[in-house]
Amino acid sequence: MRDSYAYAGGGRGVGAEDGLLPISQQATVALTALGYHDYEGIAVSEGEKPRLARDLGDNTCMILRNHGLLAVGVTVADAFLSIYNLQRACEIQVLAQAGGTPLNVDPSVLATVKQNVATVTRGMAGALAWPGLLRKLDRVNPGYAD
């Protein structure tokens, strides 16, 4: 199991409010596998680990309230894709809320998201995007792996 963690602004903003709302395609995907963990202060307590695991449950993403975002995956590619999508969903929400009351996606659409994502990705999730991301990284920063 691999993990990815983000302190970016959008995730912190959503984590300091009522959580992720179903207002974008990115949010609908994240909501299919999202847990929440309440802030317990600076993470130095060994006792918090089982609570983190409990709150993540079978999900791949978690909003650490008043703190940041966490994603896990079987591969680095899966964890990266999950955290990237969750972060984008949070950024979209913060922007939408700044403009007023955002529109929620219809619940009947939400009910189909998990199956539709599996169909579109053919169950490969991060494996579809990862090779292209690595090619881009090779172009932008050819010496990153040295």
Side-chain angles (χ1 to χ4, degrees):
M1 185 70 67
R2 305 293 183 232
D3 65 66
S4 182
Y5 185 73
Y7 274 122
R12 284 181 165 183
V14 170
E17 294 181 346
D18 291 331
L20 190 62
L21 302 173
I23 63 170
S24 67
Q25 180 167 301
Q26 290 80 359
T28 65
V29 171
L31 285 166
T32 67
L34 181 64
Y36 291 88
H37 179 73
D38 289 333
Y39 186 65
E40 297 184 23
I42 304 297
V44 295
S45 168
E46 288 291 318
E48 187 175 10
K49 289 178 182 179
R51 292 186 294 279
L52 282 162
R54 177 201 65 213
D55 292 345
L56 181 63
D58 292 331
N59 296 311
T60 55
C61 292
M62 188 158 59
I63 293 178
L64 306 168
R65 294 194 186 279
N66 305 96
H67 192 81
L69 306 176
L70 175 75
V72 298
V74 174
T75 66
V76 171
D78 291 340
F80 174 82
L81 188 61
S82 292
I83 199 82
Y84 179 81
N85 183 69
L86 179 57
Q87 176 59 33
R88 289 296 299 140
C90 291
E91 290 170 357
I92 291 166
Q93 179 170 320
V94 168
L95 290 170
Q97 288 177 318
T101 305
L103 296 173
N104 285 340
V105 172
D106 186 281
S108 66
V109 173
L110 290 175
T112 66
V113 171
K114 192 169 194 166
Q115 179 57 46
N116 289 343
V117 167
T119 299
V120 168
T121 64
R122 298 184 303 274
M124 296 173 62
L128 286 177
W130 195 247
L133 291 169
L134 290 178
R135 286 191 303 273
K136 181 176 182 176
L137 185 56
D138 285 334
R139 282 191 314 272
V140 173
N141 186 2
Y144 76 93
D146 295 337

